[in-house]
Amino acid sequence: MAGSKKMKLYTKNDWTPVLLMVVLSVVIGLITLLVATRRDIGAGLVAPRNGRRQASIWLRGPLTLLMRLDRVSTAIWIIGLALLGASYGSIFGTVGDIVKTNPMMGKVLGTTAVNTANKAIILGLSNKLSIIFVVVASIPPLITLLKLNTDDRKGYLEALHAKPVSRLRLFLTYTGQALVVCTLSFALAVYSMAATGNSSMAHMPVSIGQLMRGFIGFWPSLLVVCGIAALLVGALPKFQSVVWIIPVYGVLSLYLGALIDLPKWAQHISPYGWVNLVPTHAVNWTTFTWMTILGIALFIIGYVCYRRRDLTMN
């Protein structure tokens, strides 16, 4: 680009830059040809280092291997969700002053009532943000769980099948990695939102513990979604991609459901729809308990189906 500007196309038509670029291209081409004739096919000029005699401690099992392969994407999801939560939490100070910016409303309601109204706005907003966080946090575990069949289909797991690695260990490897990543990323998203929001609301802080209700309340729904994915992986591998409908429908029904007057039963189709309005309200421990049991049961059924089916069904 700089060479084309030096040509002065609209004034003098200077061909010197063109000649220099042609000469440079010929010289680079000759050097490349000379280097290519002096190296072995498939090898580089720099000799590769000798590998380890034994694998490192981080590559001695299916779990550590999966962690090593997914380390970049795992870091991206965890850090990305933490930054997403912090970015939303930074606006709590502005959102919380909506009522206070109206002088007439402040005189009518009084300082205590204004602060209460602002706090209610913050808690309502954090509920909607928790929905976004839990749906986004559902993406990395679904990718990991579906990879169990995808990697098997592509032949990536043949080396593991050739060794005494049980299906239980392989199943727990993928499910464990999925649950740890989604739980950690979701928790960091809510916590960073709460911590950043508190720092921006110095005059009217909402306790971090109260805002963390969003994580505790929605976590069982995250477990159920992963359990459904595990069930499809084990029982219906050819239809496992259907699980992506759940997070898409979840965010549409809960985040936009009030705008389109979606009935309550339609929201309950998604696991996220069974969660009460946390953190505005306290966590419904009855719902928390039965959804946790349901999620664990789905994982168990998924494993039983995975253990009994033929690998060729993949």
Side-chain angles (χ1 to χ4, degrees):
M1 296 297 292
S4 62
K5 294 180 180 179
K6 296 292 184 180
M7 292 174 62
K8 302 177 182 178
L9 297 176
Y10 299 101
T11 54
K12 297 182 180 180
N13 292 333
D14 189 357
W15 289 90
T16 303
V18 178
L19 296 176
L20 290 176
M21 287 187 286
V22 171
V23 172
L24 181 61
S25 300
V26 172
V27 171
I28 293 176
L30 292 175
I31 294 175
T32 303
L33 182 61
L34 180 63
V35 170
T37 56
R38 294 193 176 187
R39 70 176 180 87
D40 292 335
I41 296 177
L45 290 176
V46 180
R49 296 185 302 170
N50 294 328
R52 291 173 175 261
R53 289 182 177 272
Q54 294 181 344
S56 70
I57 192 174
W58 299 107
L59 292 175
R60 294 186 180 179
L63 178 59
T64 52
L65 176 62
L66 182 61
M67 292 172 59
R68 176 67 179 266
L69 294 176
D70 290 350
R71 64 188 186 279
V72 175
S73 61
T74 299
I76 290 175
W77 282 110
I78 293 175
I79 297 174
L81 273 165
L83 294 177
L84 181 65
S87 63
Y88 277 118
S90 63
I91 66 173
F92 277 12
T94 304
V95 175
D97 290 336
I98 291 179
V99 179
K100 189 176 291 186
T101 53
N102 190 329
M104 184 63 67
M105 188 70 70
K107 292 180 180 179
V108 172
L109 296 178
T111 304
T112 304
V114 168
N115 290 336
T116 302
N118 287 338
K119 185 176 181 180
I121 293 173
I122 293 299
L123 293 176
L125 176 62
S126 62
N127 170 259
K128 296 302 180 183
L129 294 178
S130 296
I131 295 172
I132 296 177
F133 296 154
V134 72
V135 171
V136 176
S138 302
I139 298 175
L142 293 184
I143 294 175
T144 300
L145 289 169
L146 300 187
K147 279 180 61 178
L148 178 57
N149 283 328
T150 304
D151 291 351
D152 205 358
R153 188 183 306 117
K154 294 180 179 179
Y156 297 159
L157 302 182
E158 289 183 359
L160 295 177
H161 290 317
K163 293 182 175 295
V165 178
S166 65
R167 289 198 183 186
L168 175 60
R169 186 180 180 186
L170 199 58
F171 187 81
L172 290 178
T173 293
Y174 281 81
T175 55
Q177 168 80 355
L179 289 177
V180 169
V181 172
C182 71
T183 301
L184 186 59
S185 58
F186 182 37
L188 284 178
V190 179
Y191 179 79
S192 61
M193 175 194 70
T196 309
N198 256 343
S199 64
S200 65
M201 296 185 298
H203 62 285
M204 187 196 61
V206 179
S207 67
I208 294 179
Q210 188 173 6
L211 292 175
M212 287 299 292
R213 290 176 182 172
F215 165 72
I216 300 173
F218 277 101
W219 183 82
S221 65
L222 187 59
L223 183 66
V224 172
V225 173
C226 293
I228 295 173
L231 178 62
L232 291 175
V233 167
L236 299 170
K238 294 183 179 180
F239 301 98
Q240 63 181 18
S241 298
V242 176
V243 74
W244 290 111
I245 297 176
I246 298 177
V248 174
Y249 179 79
V251 71
L252 291 177
S253 61
L254 295 180
Y255 196 74
L256 303 176
L259 298 178
I260 58 178
D261 295 327
L262 196 68
K264 199 68 176 179
W265 64 264
Q267 296 181 8
H268 284 170
I269 295 176
S270 167
Y272 312 113
W274 289 92
V275 182
N276 63 331
L277 294 175
V278 288
T280 304
H281 299 156
V283 177
N284 188 331
W285 292 107
T286 302
T287 304
F288 180 94
T289 302
W290 73 257
M291 290 191 75
T292 302
I293 295 174
L294 176 61
I296 296 173
L298 290 171
F299 274 105
I300 295 175
I301 298 173
Y303 164 67
V304 172
C305 296
Y306 177 72
R307 186 189 63 181
R308 292 186 176 182
R309 72 173 172 86
D310 192 347
L311 290 177
T312 57
M313 286 182 60
N314 192 6

